[in-house]
């Protein structure tokens, strides 16, 4: 079964690539991150500066934004030119077929907002007011602590982003996919972006799967037989049906595999971000709290589920309170 081996290798390769991208986008200060940093430093002696700016995760670059848009375009091109046409011929419900277009429109809007919205940059003008929004817990955040780069007092829950070069209020992480920090003022857009992206991928995968299922049912593949290399008649197994579909519709089966992996990764990451929002933690705090010794009890900033969600989607209310 050479085909299944190839498909398994392809799937594992995709998982590794997407996981690496997700890891880089989260940019946690883990030991693996410092390995990447050292590798980038080593490469800096060999490659010209313009090329380093393209791949470096420590420099703001639109490469991942472009990659994101290219992937969107490729998947929707495949959907529009192949799947949509076939599904229309099979008279699959039009609203069902148009759903992915509606969802990607919403997703692109939230993607744009994540890219361009000020994440909550701390400046000389607002450092005093932003320092009043959250209490210093004296565990992760200490009063009168200064950022050595910006030379400003660090408000509680802020962190300096080495990629953007400034401190960000309620810093979550620097996301290479939107080429911006995720902080107090755009975390709501980021959650909506993740949610709409997961729904878009899910709706696309559903149409792809319904199409392939229709093909199997209409051609009575489940009850069909084929003659193997020894000349014996065999009933079509699931593996043989998948192989047959792949040979007949290679791009559709490959794209469906890619979408299913994305659902798993986005579902997992989205659930984690939703949990952080509900408990009023940032990714940065979650990593830091995990590293605290067991004798330190970290209370965090949770104010209850509803207030936590309000803080995510109405950050300005909290800013006014602090002023
Ligand atoms: Zn700073
Ligand atoms: Zn940043």
């Amino acid at each position: 079964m050479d085909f299944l081996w190839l498909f398994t290798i392809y799937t594992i390769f995709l998982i590794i690539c997407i996981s690496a991208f997700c890891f880089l986008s989260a940019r946690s200060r883990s030991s693996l991150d410092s390995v990447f940093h050292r590798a980038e430093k080593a490469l800096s002696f060999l490659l010209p500066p313009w090329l380093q700016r393209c791949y470096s995760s420590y420099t703001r670059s639109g490469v991942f934004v472009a990659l994101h848009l290219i992937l969107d375009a490729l998947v929707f091109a495949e959907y529009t030119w192949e799947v949509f046409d076939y599904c229309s011929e099979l008279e699959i419900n039009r609203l069902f077929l148009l759903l992915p277009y509606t969802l990607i429109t919403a997703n692109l809007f939230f993607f744009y907002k994540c890219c361009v919205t000020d994440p909550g940059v701390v400046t000389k003008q607002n450092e005093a007011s932003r320092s009043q929004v959250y209490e210093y817990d004296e565990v992760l955040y200490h009063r009168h602590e200064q950022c050595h780069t910006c030379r400003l007092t660090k408000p509680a829950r802020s962190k300096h982003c080495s990629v953007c070069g400034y401190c960000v209020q309620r810093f979550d992480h620097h996301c290479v996919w939107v080429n911006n920090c995720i902080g107090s003022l755009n975390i709501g857009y980021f959650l909506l972006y993740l949610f709409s992206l997961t729904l878009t991928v899910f709706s696309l995968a559903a149409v792809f799967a319904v199409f392939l299922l229709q093909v199997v049912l209409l051609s009575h593949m489940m009850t069909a037989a084929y003659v193997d290399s020894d000349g014996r008649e065999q009933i079509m197994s699931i593996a043989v049906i998948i192989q047959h579909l792949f040979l007949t519709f290679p791009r559709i089966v490959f794209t469906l595999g890619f979408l299913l992996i994305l659902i798993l990764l986005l579902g997992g990451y989205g659930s984690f971000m939703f949990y952080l929002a509900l408990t009023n933690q940032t990714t940065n705090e979650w990593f830091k709290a995990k590293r605290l010794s067991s004798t330190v009890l970290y209370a965090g900033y949770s104010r209850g589920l509803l207030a936590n969600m309000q803080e995510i989607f109405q950050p300005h209310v909290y800013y006014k309170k602090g002023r």
Side-chain angles (χ1 to χ4, degrees):
M1 197 48 71
D2 289 343
F3 161 74
L4 280 184
W5 274 112
L6 271 176
F7 194 75
T8 310
I9 292 168
Y10 154 80
T11 310
I12 293 170
F13 177 72
L14 265 184
I15 291 176
I16 292 171
C17 285
I18 297 173
S19 304
F21 282 144
C22 290
F23 170 79
L24 281 173
S25 68
R27 281 183 46 78
S28 64
R29 291 282 173 200
S30 63
S31 53
L32 240 174
D33 201 27
S34 64
V35 170
F36 274 107
H37 192 31
R38 264 180 248 139
E40 281 179 12
K41 266 192 166 174
L43 279 172
S44 67
F45 293 108
L46 303 169
L47 300 174
W50 65 270
L51 195 59
Q52 289 168 34
R53 274 197 295 279
C54 288
Y55 74 79
S56 175
S57 61
Y58 285 82
T59 315
R60 271 192 98 170
S61 148
V63 167
F64 281 86
V65 174
L67 186 64
H68 187 301
L69 294 173
I70 289 168
L71 280 175
D72 278 354
L74 285 176
V75 170
F76 269 88
E78 170 59 20
Y79 179 64
T80 306
W81 306 126
E82 218 170 9
V83 180
F84 194 90
D85 265 3
Y86 284 142
C87 287
S88 301
E89 281 172 30
L90 293 174
E91 293 180 354
I92 292 175
N93 189 303
R94 262 291 149 114
L95 282 178
F96 180 55
L97 298 182
L98 292 174
L99 185 63
Y101 293 114
T102 316
L103 290 168
I104 192 68
T105 308
N107 176 252
L108 286 174
F109 170 74
F110 294 127
F111 176 69
Y112 169 76
K113 292 300 272 183
C114 283
C115 294
V116 300
T117 304
D118 166 17
V121 178
V122 181
T123 61
K124 190 126 195 78
Q125 289 74 35
N126 65 26
E127 67 169 325
S129 60
R130 292 204 165 167
S131 295
Q132 291 168 24
V133 177
Y134 297 106
E135 294 288 321
Y136 290 89
D137 58 12
E138 302 300 336
V139 180
L140 298 183
Y141 307 105
H142 304 278
R143 207 172 292 275
H144 307 307
E145 203 177 343
Q146 281 233 325
C147 171
H148 301 300
T149 314
C150 306
R151 306 275 172 206
L152 297 172
T153 307
K154 287 173 97 171
R157 309 194 79 184
S158 70
K159 186 177 180 295
H160 184 84
C161 174
S162 55
V163 182
C164 299
Y166 41 63
C167 283
V168 173
Q169 173 83 42
R170 201 187 186 282
F171 177 88
D172 193 277
H173 67 285
H174 179 88
C175 178
V176 291
W177 293 105
V178 299
N179 195 25
N180 199 4
C181 271
I182 303 302
S184 56
L185 300 184
N186 65 351
I187 180 73
Y189 287 128
F190 186 70
L191 288 179
L192 291 171
Y193 156 73
L194 273 183
F195 185 62
S196 57
L197 185 61
T198 312
L199 285 184
T200 307
V201 175
F202 195 81
S203 67
L204 278 170
V207 179
F208 276 60
V210 164
F211 164 69
L212 292 175
L213 199 66
Q214 284 282 76
V215 170
V216 171
L217 293 175
L218 290 174
S219 59
H220 305 289
M221 244 182 255
M222 303 292 280
T223 50
Y226 70 102
V227 178
D228 68 11
S229 52
D230 299 326
R232 280 179 302 210
E233 201 169 84
Q234 302 276 2
I235 298 289
M236 297 275 271
S237 64
I238 296 289
V240 174
I241 289 175
I242 293 174
Q243 187 172 353
H244 177 74
L245 286 175
F246 175 73
L247 292 172
T248 319
F249 309 104
R251 286 187 298 274
I252 295 179
V253 176
F254 264 111
T255 314
L256 179 59
F258 175 68
L259 293 171
L260 291 176
I261 294 164
L262 267 185
I263 289 175
L264 286 178
L265 292 170
L266 283 171
Y269 182 59
S271 307
F272 173 64
M273 289 304 291
F274 188 58
Y275 158 76
L276 291 183
L278 283 175
T279 52
N280 206 332
Q281 295 179 75
T282 64
T283 307
N284 178 45
E285 287 162 0
W286 187 80
F287 276 111
K288 278 184 173 169
K290 273 180 67 135
R291 281 193 226 124
L292 290 174
S293 84
S294 54
T295 52
V296 180
L297 192 67
Y298 183 60
Y301 287 87
S302 183
R303 301 172 160 109
L305 290 183
L306 276 178
N308 291 344
M309 292 314 283
Q310 193 191 0
E311 188 181 316
I312 293 281
F313 293 105
Q314 289 183 298
H316 295 286
V317 175
Y318 285 86
Y319 278 91
K320 278 178 194 148
K321 273 185 192 172
R323 283 191 178 117

